[in-house]
Amino acid sequence: MLRLETIGLGLAARYGYQPIETPLFEQTAVFERGIGEVTDVIEKELFRLAPRSEDGETWALRPEPTAGIVRAYVQHGMQTLPQPVKLVLVGPMFRYDRPQAGRYRQFWQFDIEAIGDPGPAVDAEIIELGSRFYRDAGVEGVAVLVNSIGDSACRPAYIEELKAYFRPHAASLPDIERDRLERNPLRLLDSKDPAMTALNAAAPRITDRLCGPCADHFRSFQDHLRALEIPFRLEPGLVRGLDYYTRTAFEFYVAGREGQQQALGGGGRYDGLVELLGGKPTPGIGFGLGLDRVLLALEEGGHSARAELIPPVAVVVGADPAATAERLRIATLLRASGIVARAELAPRKLGKQLEAAARDRAHFAVIVGDELADGQVQLKDLEAGTQKLVPVDDLAREVGRAHAGHHHGTAAG
Ligand code: HAM
């Protein structure tokens, strides 16, 4: 997880995104208004905290970061900064779902938001950033699915058309979908219920009903993706599970699993969200990539997702098994100089200590013995098999130089 976080934050910095942290919990209203009350995330998956006071405030753990980030953008006057405000957040999210492989109650997201840019160029730039993240993380051939879901000019008519399409089937719809038919029919299109698959496939498509400005935006967005040589697939059924989206919507999938339940990541444009949460009308776009699913994809691809332990450059050992304080002091000196070092703290014989150092693939063993009285230790190069006496005061410099030289030599030769 830490490796993925480092890759994500590194990329974000290269693309000009600044880190932001938001609280792990917010007032429930931030999520309800932002994400939409008639959504799985709010109706079924929101981790609500028990009310504590008489003031009527209700709180919930964050199921996603976008609503909280936009709340912070409005509350902290980020509209007055040069736009767009580009922000990155990596952290845990919480959804009270039924846990299963790839679906957890606490999971990690790498989230990017560009607030204040209407696109469509930035839409493509963000997808390119997401694709690069997967490539750098080692997930090969991630598929990009894109769609446009229109805006307040063209979507209302489409919603009515969708209601008319589903109404004759109302009796055969699963309960929750029937309930949503009049309140939020768009959510029927991303239903996870297999009973909806055929019906959804034949449903009217928003992409055929976009207004002029939305259609132009969508076309130019695709031109930008082509200019960046990002392969993508149009997916007219992709509407995302959160209500704040307008126009551009996209998802990333493990190749061969396009459109199945578990996306690696997803995002889109939310041109109405800032206003909805109390700010001036401001466009925005972003994505959230599920890091747990990236780890799963790496493991399935035969890559170890576990972070590798860095072998120590030096292990400090000693002839006197009990002299742990001296060994620790010398290891501390090395570490203070930036050298990966370990002191042997088990009170065992020198031979055993050296064996353990070799097993750890240490480059050097620092042997503390009688010479310490003169301020010196033996520096044994475990790879070359050589050994020499070195003053403790020069030890860090000596180890650092020999190790760097050795590795430089290996790389060059
Ligand atoms: P989302 O599609 O709800 O979008 O979640 C983004 C990603 O988080 C998913 O594609 C998936 O990889 C991961 N994810 C979601 N739920 C779980 C879970 N229960 N267990 C493991 N992984 C999960 C959002 O959250 C939006 N805020 C994305 C966004 C940012 N849109 C604009 N800006």
Side-chain angles (χ1 to χ4, degrees):
M1 202 61 81
L2 194 57
R3 186 181 77 88
L4 296 180
E5 177 166 353
T6 306
I7 293 172
L9 292 175
L11 271 179
R14 208 188 301 164
Y15 283 69
Y17 287 78
Q18 278 194 306
I20 182 172
E21 295 288 347
T22 65
L24 298 190
F25 59 94
E26 298 265 354
Q27 299 227 20
T28 317
V30 171
F31 303 125
E32 286 171 344
R33 283 160 65 197
I35 296 164
E37 291 188 54
V38 188
T39 58
D40 278 357
V41 172
I42 298 302
E43 287 187 320
K44 298 199 245 169
E45 299 168 2
L46 196 63
F47 254 102
R48 294 171 191 274
L49 303 176
R52 294 190 60 89
S53 59
E54 307 305 304
D55 57 15
E57 286 175 349
T58 58
W59 304 85
L61 298 182
R62 64 181 185 195
E64 60 99 52
T66 312
I69 289 175
V70 169
R71 190 265 311 143
Y73 174 92
V74 173
Q75 187 175 345
H76 299 292
M78 292 189 228
Q79 294 105 317
T80 62
L81 300 175
Q83 306 289 307
V85 175
K86 294 161 76 179
L87 301 167
V88 57
L89 183 151
V90 182
M93 309 297 152
F94 306 85
R95 294 187 193 179
Y96 194 76
D97 203 349
R98 199 166 54 82
Q100 50 193 290
R103 195 172 293 282
Y104 309 109
R105 288 180 175 174
Q106 174 169 345
F107 59 98
W108 267 257
Q109 275 190 11
F110 164 39
D111 181 271
I112 283 284
E113 310 292 349
I115 308 177
D117 186 329
V122 70
D123 305 33
E125 183 183 40
I126 276 191
I127 289 178
E128 194 276 328
L129 167 51
S131 303
R132 189 168 302 276
F133 171 78
Y134 292 119
R135 211 175 320 141
D136 289 1
V139 189
E140 306 292 337
V142 167
V144 181
L145 269 49
V146 307
N147 195 22
S148 173
I149 57 170
D151 65 4
S152 56
C154 47
R155 205 169 337 149
Y158 171 69
I159 297 288
E160 287 311 315
E161 201 179 334
L162 213 49
K163 284 183 191 168
Y165 168 77
F166 282 117
R167 264 181 209 130
H169 305 279
S172 61
L173 292 178
D175 290 349
I176 185 142
E177 316 301 349
R178 191 179 323 117
D179 177 56
R180 287 177 179 178
L181 169 52
E182 297 300 330
R183 297 160 70 207
N184 194 357
L186 206 56
R187 292 282 72 81
L188 270 62
L189 292 180
D190 57 58
S191 166
K192 293 167 191 159
D193 195 317
M196 296 296 295
T197 314
L199 203 54
N200 281 343
R205 298 178 154 183
I206 176 81
T207 14
D208 303 330
R209 290 151 180 86
L210 295 176
C211 58
C214 282
D216 289 346
H217 193 278
F218 192 35
R219 209 172 304 117
S220 175
F221 159 59
Q222 294 174 56
D223 288 342
H224 282 83
L225 283 178
R226 285 186 207 99
L228 293 176
E229 295 178 32
I230 304 288
F232 64 93
R233 211 177 80 190
L234 293 181
E235 181 48 67
L238 192 161
V239 292
R240 309 274 302 130
L242 315 164
D243 279 353
Y244 51 61
Y245 291 113
T246 52
R247 295 189 167 174
T248 310
F250 58 89
E251 278 174 349
F252 297 100
Y253 284 89
V254 171
R257 297 196 197 155
E258 291 90 330
Q260 294 181 13
Q261 282 198 12
Q262 296 205 348
L264 279 178
R269 180 159 282 290
Y270 45 84
D271 293 346
L273 184 57
V274 175
E275 193 177 7
L276 196 67
L277 294 180
K280 290 189 310 202
T282 309
I285 182 165
F287 66 54
L289 312 187
L291 299 185
D292 306 81
R293 293 184 185 173
V294 171
L295 292 183
L296 276 179
L298 287 173
E299 276 166 10
E300 283 173 12
H303 302 276
S304 169
R306 196 173 302 171
E308 288 228 0
L309 194 63
I310 306 166
V313 172
V315 174
V316 185
V317 300
D320 176 1
T324 47
E326 291 301 355
R327 297 203 284 279
L328 202 49
R329 186 175 67 81
I330 289 169
T332 304
L333 278 176
L334 292 173
R335 290 167 180 160
S337 303
I339 293 164
V340 183
R342 170 172 85 71
E344 179 60 60
L345 300 182
R348 48 185 174 180
K349 291 209 175 78
L350 179 59
K352 293 280 180 210
Q353 298 181 36
L354 284 167
E355 277 172 28
R359 216 171 29 239
D360 279 0
R361 292 182 288 135
H363 186 174
F364 297 101
V366 176
I367 307 171
V368 183
D370 296 340
E371 305 89 347
L372 192 63
D374 306 324
Q376 294 187 309
V377 289
Q378 293 283 350
L379 179 62
K380 185 177 170 75
D381 186 325
L382 295 171
E383 292 175 4
T386 55
Q387 186 167 327
K388 63 178 170 182
L389 215 49
V390 175
V392 172
D393 289 345
D394 294 342
L395 185 66
R397 208 175 323 126
E398 185 74 24
V399 169
R401 189 186 325 121
H403 185 65
H406 167 86
H407 279 268
H408 187 255
T410 316

